[in-house]
Amino acid sequence: MLYQDLANRLQGLITDEVYRPGTALPGVRRLSQQHQVSVSTAVNACRELERRGLLEARPRSGYFVRPQTAKRRPPRVRTVSKTPKPVTGQERVLQLIQSANNPDVVNLGTAIPDPDFLPVHTIEKAYRKVWREQRRRCVNYEFPPGAPELRTQIARHLASLQCDVSPEQVLVTNSCQESVSIALKQITRPGDVVVLESPIYYGLLQVVESLGLKALEIPTDPEQGISLGALELALDKWSVAACVMVPNFSNPLGVCLSDERKQALLELLYRYKVPLVEDDIYGELPLSGPRPRPIKSWDTKGLVYYCSSSSKTLAAGLRVGWLVPGNNIERAEYLQFINTVCVNTPAQLAMAHILEKSRYERMMRQSRAEHAVSVARMIERVTQLFPDQTRVSRPTGGFVLWLELPGNIDTKQLIEPALAQGVSFAPGSLFSNSGKFSNCLRLNCAVKWDARVERALANLARLVGG
Ligand SMILES: Cc1ncc(COP(=O)(O)O)c(C=O)c1O
């Protein structure tokens, strides 16, 4: 929708302080001329930004940028492991994950969007259609590399991201996590060293653990992304088999590498001949501005293994992901086959139908706008409720927030008391193999905001000393 595009553009300008807190935005007529849209589009964009909590309307004076709640400093960059180590201590994750399905607990712990953020109706319609029209196919296996129509749709989507990939190069998987696992199985052998950004999504550490690999974590700046200098030193010192990264809106920091840094990273990896396993699961979800390019779009040597899934955009319950292996798709197909035989057939067909027939881009714009509202609200409430010295990330995409708490608090000790008060969160220590980040925690912002969530967050804030 045009007005959402304009709202996103204006949000970017507010974030960059082109329009500073407390100042007036140009009038809607002026905005319509400047951005070459109709006056009603400009009005709707301003209303959207009011809804996102960024503008306030003042009678007869127009729209003003809301004075922001005192900004919190971003979390600090940590120097983590100096030597590669096998991954341990991840078993606690299961307890956290299980609490996500407990209806008595407000789920701030897992990065799963509330169904209100998902196109549930579109998915239901697609399922009904494929069951009605392709019943015999739905009850059968759809063996690797997966349903041809889905692979075609994924290749078309990738083409829109400047990744020139043919349907024959796409493998359908059960999830992004399976894609990463297959990619690493293709590239590595047990005992090999893998470099990762730090902090990093715990699922990626678990894949590294399950394959018997050693993790070497590279410090990551919450606003710039992975330190390329530290990465170069690591590549120089160790024989590294692969690099695993989430360049677009990493989890938990929500940071997106700039195009220049993405290309510099790729050049560095080319120089050391180290394959990149690129997890782009949040790429569709910028909080403002355009969808960023994947690193795969610059890859001319087939060294990037591109992984993603529908878990954050359509529904985690679909269990459909995809992998574009750098090369040797046959090996990837075989690894998928011996992993799980194949991917759920109705889910593959329904997803193909959604990508082909539904207004996917429009659905994504809608989701982005809703996440922008939910992340802004969570930042505002955390700033009000949590201890003064709490540092808060400023994600530019995705829907999670990363907090660094003051003092010697160990957030994993608070899991049980928090669950007893009906709220879950993800303790910081899960996001690293180093034992660091124990005074951090991650919050899921994609919740349906109501009095229950408000109470849950206040309870959590009290537990951490707010
Ligand atoms: C960065 C990242 N990669 C992968 C996954 C797992 O996604 P999937 O359900 O497709 O395996 C998640 C889920 O939170 C994630 O945050």
Side-chain angles (χ1 to χ4, degrees):
M1 266 166 278
L2 261 181
Y3 81 89
Q4 279 176 344
D5 288 341
L6 178 58
N8 289 343
R9 236 176 298 149
L10 292 173
Q11 180 167 346
L13 295 173
I14 293 170
T15 311
D16 294 342
E17 298 205 338
V18 175
Y19 300 122
R20 298 170 67 80
T23 60
L25 220 62
V28 285
R29 260 173 225 295
R30 188 81 193 280
L31 280 178
S32 81
Q33 286 160 0
Q34 282 175 349
H35 296 275
Q36 295 174 354
V37 294
S38 68
V39 173
S40 69
T41 301
V43 169
N44 286 334
C46 289
R47 289 200 181 127
E48 172 67 17
L49 290 174
E50 201 180 358
R51 203 172 72 86
R52 294 184 194 175
L54 293 168
L55 292 183
E56 61 190 10
R58 295 192 191 156
R60 284 191 292 279
S61 308
Y63 284 96
F64 282 71
V65 181
R66 273 186 57 181
Q68 286 160 359
T69 336
K71 258 195 195 161
R72 294 297 183 101
R73 283 186 297 168
R76 277 171 293 209
V77 183
R78 307 263 171 111
T79 307
V80 265
S81 47
K82 292 227 164 60
T83 48
K85 279 193 304 187
V87 174
T88 54
Q90 286 286 317
E91 295 79 3
R92 287 188 309 274
V93 172
L94 201 55
Q95 183 192 16
L96 168 73
I97 296 293
Q98 284 161 342
S99 71
N101 285 346
N102 179 348
D104 297 329
V105 172
V106 172
N107 173 35
L108 305 182
T110 57
I112 305 174
D114 182 274
D116 269 32
F117 290 77
L118 303 170
V120 178
H121 186 59
T122 305
I123 297 169
E124 189 189 332
K125 264 187 16 204
Y127 260 98
R128 276 212 234 107
K129 188 168 170 64
V130 298
W131 268 107
R132 204 170 49 240
E133 293 179 3
Q134 304 192 62
R135 192 170 293 133
R136 295 179 70 80
R137 201 170 161 204
C138 278
V139 293
N140 205 344
Y141 292 113
E142 188 73 44
F143 288 114
E149 56 270 64
L150 177 56
R151 291 160 57 226
T152 300
Q153 290 305 322
I154 292 169
R156 281 193 192 161
H157 179 60
L158 287 169
S160 75
L161 307 177
Q162 303 181 50
C163 299
D164 287 334
V165 165
S166 71
E168 288 69 40
Q169 290 169 283
V170 176
L171 171 69
V172 181
T173 65
N174 282 282
S175 65
C176 187
Q177 187 136 331
E178 190 186 38
S179 303
V180 171
S181 174
I182 292 172
L184 283 177
K185 278 184 191 165
Q186 277 189 282
I187 304 166
T188 64
R189 277 178 308 193
D192 278 353
V193 175
V194 168
V195 289
L196 309 118
E197 60 211 309
S198 183
I200 179 95
Y201 167 56
Y202 46 73
L204 299 178
L205 286 173
Q206 286 152 17
V207 175
V208 170
E209 177 186 6
S210 72
L211 300 179
L213 303 168
K214 290 186 188 144
L216 182 62
E217 293 175 51
I218 308 295
T220 301
D221 184 287
E223 305 204 322
Q224 304 283 322
I226 191 162
S227 159
L228 295 181
L231 178 63
E232 185 163 6
L233 286 177
L235 295 174
D236 221 33
K237 182 155 183 201
W238 306 98
S239 166
V240 172
C243 173
V244 179
M245 277 202 64
V246 188
N248 292 328
F249 318 124
S250 65
N251 173 2
L253 292 175
V255 55
C256 182
L257 283 185
S258 65
D259 281 359
E260 293 69 36
R261 288 170 64 76
K262 282 177 182 160
Q263 290 170 80
L265 174 84
L266 189 60
E267 281 307 315
L268 189 58
L269 295 176
Y270 277 173
R271 188 139 48 87
Y272 286 87
K273 298 192 173 50
V274 172
L276 171 67
V277 178
E278 178 178 29
D279 176 339
D280 194 30
I281 195 166
Y282 291 102
E284 295 295 318
L285 299 177
L287 295 177
S288 66
R291 198 253 193 241
R293 276 173 73 170
I295 295 184
K296 179 76 187 162
S297 67
W298 286 282
D299 179 27
T300 51
K301 299 190 177 168
L303 212 68
V304 179
Y305 290 63
Y306 180 85
C307 307
S308 193
S309 84
S310 57
S311 288
K312 310 297 171 188
T313 47
L314 296 177
L318 271 179
R319 306 315 292 142
V320 176
W322 48 97
L323 166 65
V324 180
N327 46 45
N328 202 351
I329 176 95
E330 291 80 17
R331 177 80 187 142
E333 283 171 25
Y334 178 66
L335 289 168
Q336 205 287 313
F337 175 67
I338 59 175
N339 239 12
T340 59
V341 180
C342 68
V343 178
N344 178 312
T345 307
Q348 293 194 54
L349 301 182
M351 169 110 193
H353 179 74
I354 293 168
L355 288 179
E356 188 185 352
K357 298 284 185 212
S358 312
R359 298 190 179 151
Y360 182 74
E361 193 37 49
R362 192 169 153 175
M363 287 191 299
M364 288 307 102
R365 280 207 290 265
Q366 177 77 24
S367 303
R368 287 169 200 159
E370 282 166 10
H371 288 308
V373 173
S374 69
V375 171
R377 180 167 36 210
M378 187 65 90
I379 292 178
E380 186 172 325
R381 297 303 288 134
V382 162
T383 307
Q384 287 158 355
L385 294 168
F386 279 61
D388 279 349
Q389 300 305 316
T390 305
R391 290 169 174 260
V392 183
S393 64
R394 294 176 199 150
T396 52
F399 47 84
V400 296
L401 209 60
W402 179 247
L403 313 187
E404 182 185 330
L405 299 165
N408 288 330
I409 197 162
D410 181 356
T411 53
K412 73 175 174 301
Q413 307 295 343
L414 301 176
I415 299 177
E416 291 294 343
L419 286 175
Q421 301 211 22
V423 56
S424 69
F425 68 88
S429 51
L430 288 181
F431 295 83
S432 170
N433 191 37
S434 65
K436 302 264 174 89
F437 303 105
S438 55
N439 63 335
C440 296
L441 62 87
R442 188 196 67 183
L443 296 176
N444 169 30
C445 307
V447 287
K448 189 176 177 201
W449 204 272
D450 57 16
R452 189 166 162 256
V453 175
E454 189 74 37
R455 265 198 312 279
L457 191 66
N459 288 343
L460 185 58
R462 262 193 302 279
L463 275 177
V464 304

